[in-house]
Amino acid sequence: MAKKKFYVIWNGHQKGVFASWDVCKKHIKDFKGAQYKSFASKDAAEKAFKGRYEDYVGKDTKTVVLSAEELKKYGKPIVPSLSVDAACAGNPGKMEYRGVITASKKQLFIQGPFEQGTNNVGEFLALVHGLGYLKQHNLAHPIYSDSKIAISWVKSGQCRTNLKITAANKTLFDLVKRAEKWLKENTYTTQILKWETKAWGEIPADFGRK
């Protein structure tokens, strides 16, 4: 799922803070000298709107900035551990996934690209692949994913995607069936943990294509 963004328009047909790019686009279209920028949170956007556009030009406003107190609450990622992630060009589109050592980002496995996949399916497969890898190598490390959906699918033992099976993605769905079969037939004690992106940055397995 795409992360929620908020848009500030300092100079446009209408000024203000907007929660939709489509609305923002309407208010800046054909407006000469439009001034606008996206922000990661509503609070940050509202604060920016009270300031000047020039103060935010060239700055990263898409990352949520946490206070020292909030960062302390999240702590640091557990190491040693495994991190997994997926990337998809389109929805559906070409999808691939991988797993890395959290601390060093050393790649342990990578699969794909698969035709007509989705990011959620990739995140699910990455987690199951990671669980299998850890069990095969007799490692008691936890595994991180930044996808709440994929984590819930793995814990339920089922990939609950709405993606339709086609001739192009049949190989991908064969892999999904194998993953579900593995979850049904295997037990594991691995901790599956949520990667807290807003506190720690992008998950180490991220493909860097955002």
Side-chain angles (χ1 to χ4, degrees):
M1 293 177 65
K3 295 177 181 177
K4 179 70 174 176
K5 293 179 184 177
F6 294 85
Y7 302 87
V8 174
I9 300 177
W10 288 272
N11 198 21
H13 295 298
Q14 184 172 334
K15 302 176 183 180
V17 176
F18 306 93
S20 162
W21 168 240
D22 287 338
V23 174
C24 175
K25 187 164 55 174
K26 181 179 70 174
H27 294 322
I28 60 174
K29 185 178 180 181
D30 300 325
F31 189 95
K32 187 176 181 179
Q35 297 177 337
Y36 61 97
K37 199 167 180 65
S38 65
F39 290 81
S41 71
K42 186 177 181 181
D43 287 344
E46 290 177 342
K47 180 180 178 181
F49 183 58
K50 295 176 183 177
R52 301 182 309 151
Y53 170 69
E54 291 76 14
D55 295 332
Y56 297 92
V57 176
K59 291 187 177 181
D60 177 14
T61 57
K62 298 178 182 179
T63 303
V64 177
V65 179
L66 300 180
S67 66
E69 185 176 334
E70 289 174 315
L71 288 172
K72 186 177 179 181
K73 179 182 70 174
Y74 285 105
K76 295 182 178 180
I78 298 171
V79 290
S81 59
L82 178 70
S83 292
V84 299
D85 199 20
C88 191
N91 187 38
K94 285 189 176 181
M95 180 275 291
E96 56 190 320
Y97 71 81
R98 67 174 179 165
V100 306
I101 296 173
T102 300
S104 67
K105 297 186 180 180
K106 178 183 177 182
Q107 186 170 279
L108 300 176
F109 59 81
I110 185 168
Q111 293 289 313
F114 301 99
E115 297 292 337
Q116 291 189 12
T118 66
N119 197 66
N120 286 335
V121 171
E123 300 268 16
F124 170 80
L125 291 172
L127 269 175
V128 179
H129 195 142
L131 290 172
Y133 180 93
L134 292 170
K135 185 166 185 174
Q136 180 183 1
H137 291 82
N138 198 30
L139 296 172
H141 307 333
I143 184 170
Y144 281 102
S145 169
D146 61 7
S147 171
K148 289 182 179 179
I149 291 175
I151 291 173
S152 69
W153 286 357
V154 169
K155 290 184 176 180
S156 71
Q158 185 179 7
C159 179
R160 296 175 175 172
T161 181
N162 292 322
L163 183 65
K164 304 299 182 183
I165 301 177
T166 67
N169 63 21
K170 184 181 182 302
T171 299
L172 177 61
F173 272 95
D174 287 343
L175 200 58
V176 168
K177 289 179 181 178
R178 284 175 54 191
E180 291 176 333
K181 186 173 185 290
W182 189 93
L183 290 172
K184 184 177 181 180
E185 297 177 352
N186 289 267
T187 58
Y188 59 88
T189 58
T190 304
Q191 281 184 288
I192 301 176
L193 304 174
K194 173 70 170 61
W195 181 266
E196 300 297 346
T197 305
K198 62 183 178 181
W200 305 329
E202 294 293 348
I203 193 166
D206 181 65
F207 282 83
R209 298 171 189 166
K210 294 181 175 65

